[in-house]
Amino acid sequence: MADGDTRGRRAFIGSFTAAGGPGVVTAAVDADSGALTVLSGVDGVPDPSYLALAPDGTTLYAVSETAEGAVAAYRVHGDKPELLGSPVRIGGSGPTYLCLFDGHVLTADYGSGSVTAVPVRADGTLANRPSGQLRHTGSGPHQLRQQGPHAHQIQPDPSGRWAVSVDLGTDSVRVCTLDEGRPVLHREIALRPGSGPRHLAFHPDGTHAYVLNELTPTVTVCRWDAESGSLKPLTEVSVLPGPPDGDAAYPSGIVASRTAASSGRRPGARTSCPCSPSRATNCG
């Protein structure tokens, strides 16, 4: 992770403290080999599983992926991020993803099937409470995994005008905006029933998006129109040879480049870096 000074590149890695993880880890990145050397760990927030770095690189944000659900901010300096105040309760359970959008941190709350907005102050710290929440509704045909909504990801589109959330439980993608700090629904796009969409990546050209499905290991290729804030599914392709088998694969992330889209399983920690503020695995 490029941090803008002579210390070289740094990577920030989230973990589940409930499973023995050290919290938010800072590691040095070897410029030649890419090898990571752990420098420190900060354990003041339970289960900081997903991270997002502010564009200026001075503040790091983390979800607390717990039943209560919270977000936290850290000041990035030296080799150990400093926790800024107490985590902010979001009123949603199991946040799995967060992003920065229009002066707010937005979280995708898997357990409660919601998107929550928390204002970001001028100094990068978080407001004491959320400014609004959008509750998803609906379900899917999978009896165990789709009994209700499960928001799994939220991110800005390339134009910065829209926030796009992916919901595994309702087989849909929602396009949202903020109205005085409240997430509001602009459009909901239905995907194939039972597909279980988990993660979306926009193509650098800004006109296509790829939705990775978890319940069947496939990618739904879509046309994206930033002017109208609309997503149109075009086709669905398998990410594995042979027929899809949801019990045999667990695709969890997708990266889009100018030449290809690739997916992968990340069984362990989650990371973040400045070249993609919400997903360090986009660095390749």
Side-chain angles (χ1 to χ4, degrees):
M1 175 176 290
D3 59 10
D5 61 29
T6 58
R7 293 176 298 141
R9 297 171 63 84
R10 295 290 184 267
F12 300 112
I13 306 168
S15 67
F16 289 93
T17 56
V24 174
V25 173
T26 303
V29 183
D30 186 275
D32 296 322
S33 67
L36 301 178
T37 301
V38 174
L39 302 174
S40 66
V42 181
D43 63 356
V45 176
D47 294 343
S49 62
Y50 198 87
L51 313 176
L53 189 66
D56 63 7
T58 63
T59 313
L60 184 71
Y61 301 94
V63 299
S64 178
E65 192 175 335
T66 60
E68 296 79 14
V71 292
Y74 300 81
R75 185 70 68 221
V76 176
H77 60 80
D79 289 330
K80 188 172 185 178
E82 175 190 359
L83 181 62
L84 299 175
S86 300
V88 178
R89 294 284 184 90
I90 60 173
S93 66
T96 60
Y97 205 101
L98 79 168
C99 71
L100 292 161
F101 178 76
D102 195 19
H104 294 71
V105 164
L106 303 184
T107 65
D109 314 324
Y110 184 86
S112 54
S114 55
V115 169
T116 306
V118 179
V120 177
R121 300 184 177 120
D123 62 357
T125 59
L126 296 170
N128 294 329
R129 60 180 61 86
S131 55
Q133 186 175 84
L134 174 65
R135 292 264 176 179
H136 292 182
T137 59
S139 59
H142 195 292
Q143 294 184 357
L144 294 179
R145 302 290 306 279
Q146 295 185 312
Q147 294 181 355
H150 293 300
H152 212 303
Q153 184 200 29
I154 180 76
Q155 66 167 314
D157 85 301
S159 74
R161 296 176 56 188
W162 312 100
V164 181
S165 64
V166 180
D167 194 298
L168 184 147
T170 62
D171 293 316
S172 61
V173 175
R174 288 171 173 83
V175 181
C176 309
T177 60
L178 288 183
D179 181 6
E180 297 183 348
R182 296 179 296 106
V184 295
L185 179 64
H186 169 70
R187 194 187 304 272
E188 181 176 359
I189 299 92
L191 301 184
R192 179 177 58 80
S195 57
R198 175 188 174 103
H199 190 262
L200 180 149
F202 286 100
H203 192 278
D205 68 8
T207 64
H208 291 84
Y210 306 92
V211 181
L212 183 66
N213 302 305
E214 179 177 323
L215 299 183
T216 54
T218 61
V219 170
T220 303
V221 182
C222 305
R223 176 82 65 182
W224 170 249
D225 184 349
E227 185 66 26
S228 61
S230 63
L231 189 75
K232 180 181 179 180
L234 301 176
T235 188
E236 186 176 344
V237 297
S238 176
V239 300
L240 295 173
D245 183 353
D247 294 329
Y250 187 62
S252 59
I254 186 168
V255 179
S257 70
R258 292 194 179 277
T259 57
S262 60
S263 64
R265 175 176 180 170
R266 297 175 301 109
R270 305 178 181 181
T271 59
S272 177
C273 83
C275 60
S276 174
S278 59
R279 181 81 60 177
T281 49
N282 285 7
C283 295

